[in-house]
Structures are given as structure tokens and as C-alpha cells.
Amino acid sequence: MNTIDNCKIINLPKIHDPRGNLSFVENGRPVPFVIKRVYWIYDVPGGEVRGGHAYQELQEFFIALSGSFDVVLFDGQNSKTVTLNRSYFGLLVPSMIWRRLENFSTNAVCLILASTLYSEADYLRDFNMFQRTKTKGPDDNN
Ligand code: TYD
């Protein structure tokens, strides 16, 4: 089972250039999964919160393309908050981690690289069920 220790900042290549810097990702480099989907969150009103769920299978990689925001992570026991505020690094969040995005700055753009196509069935939106699954494991019916 993944813990918050498996949620890692990964530096991206940065090509310095007086005309403007450039960063990039490719499948597996340095993001450690094949990218099946890309989505982005933007125009977030002050004080709003996104996320607030976990995924059974999906792995994600978050990049602050513009501005900043906090990713609050919880593994059923421990939590940590990671601030993303540069476009040359990102945060890897594996499956079965409860995550919430908050504290968006004005004009923040959050890019998310995802390891699967969209599947509502993969979401765990019930916090208590998530907690129970993390405590007992998915196959434990006792
Ligand atoms: P959701 O993941 O619940 O947003 P958040 O957790 O950031 O608050 O997605 C919000 C809505 O957008 C939901 O109705 C499903 C839809 N959606 C897609 O259709 N495709 C996608 O790739 C994503 C991420 C969401």
C-alpha cells in the first residue's frame, strides 16, 4: 500500500534560454508511467478546493504551470502538504492516496498527467471507505 513517502517531487529537464525557459516530459522520463491522459485545473476562485478523493489505480503527476497551489496528501495514517510553485518540477502521487488541492494563487494553472483514461469507477470519494480500505486492505472483509 502506498504511503505519503511514495509521493515524490521529481525535477524536470530545464533548458535555460534567454528567450524563455523550456521543460518537458516524455512517457517514463522522468514521469514513471505511460501518460494516457492530461487535464488541467484553472480559473480557480480564491479559497476554492479541488480533489478530495483517492484513486484505486490511477497514478498522477502534478505540475504548477503557472502560479502556485498546495497538494494535501493523506495515506490513512499520515499527511503532508506539498506546495507546487514552479514549472520545472512536479509531484508524483501514486494510487490509494487521498489528495486535495487548495490555496490556489490568482491565475494558478495545475497540469495533471494521468496514467489511465478517465474512469469514475476508479474514484474513492468516500473518506471513511478510503480509511477502512487503507486500514484493512482491499481484500479483507472482516
Ligand atoms: P473531479 O476529478 O471530480 O474533479 P476534482 O476532484 O478536481 O474536484 O472531476 C470533475 C468532473 O470532471 C467530473 O464530473 C468528471 C469530469 N472529468 C472528466 O470528464 N474527465 C477527466 O479527465 C477528469 C479529471 C474529470
Side-chain angles (χ1 to χ4, degrees), residues 37 39 41 50-51 53 55 99 118 123 125:
R37 176 166 54 107
Y39 66 98
I41 295 171
R50 301 281 326 209
H53 51 69
Y55 304 105
R99 97 286 191 284
Y118 174 74
Y123 280 68
R125 294 190 184 274

Side-chain angles (χ1 to χ4, degrees), residues 39-104:
Y39 66 98
W40 47 99
I41 295 171
Y42 54 98
D43 290 348
V44 180
E48 280 296 343
V49 174
R50 301 281 326 209
H53 51 69
Y55 304 105
Q56 297 169 75
E57 294 213 354
L58 177 64
Q59 303 177 63
E60 293 188 317
F61 189 78
F62 294 81
I63 306 170
L65 282 191
S66 175
S68 66
F69 53 88
D70 292 340
V71 186
V72 184
L73 303 161
F74 179 64
D75 62 14
Q77 285 200 304
N78 298 304
S79 65
K80 72 176 172 186
T81 300
V82 178
T83 300
L84 295 179
N85 55 10
R86 294 284 185 274
S87 34
Y88 53 82
F89 63 77
L91 175 68
L92 175 69
V93 179
S95 59
M96 290 304 288
I97 298 289
W98 193 269
R99 97 286 191 284
R100 188 173 81 233
L101 309 177
E102 62 184 33
N103 202 21
F104 286 86

Side-chain angles (χ1 to χ4, degrees), residues 7-9 28 36 38 42 46 55 70 76 80 92 105 115 123 133:
C7 302
K8 292 199 169 74
I9 291 286
K36 291 266 185 68
V38 178
Y42 54 98
Y55 304 105
D70 292 340
K80 72 176 172 186
L92 175 69
S105 69
S115 68
Y123 280 68
T133 307

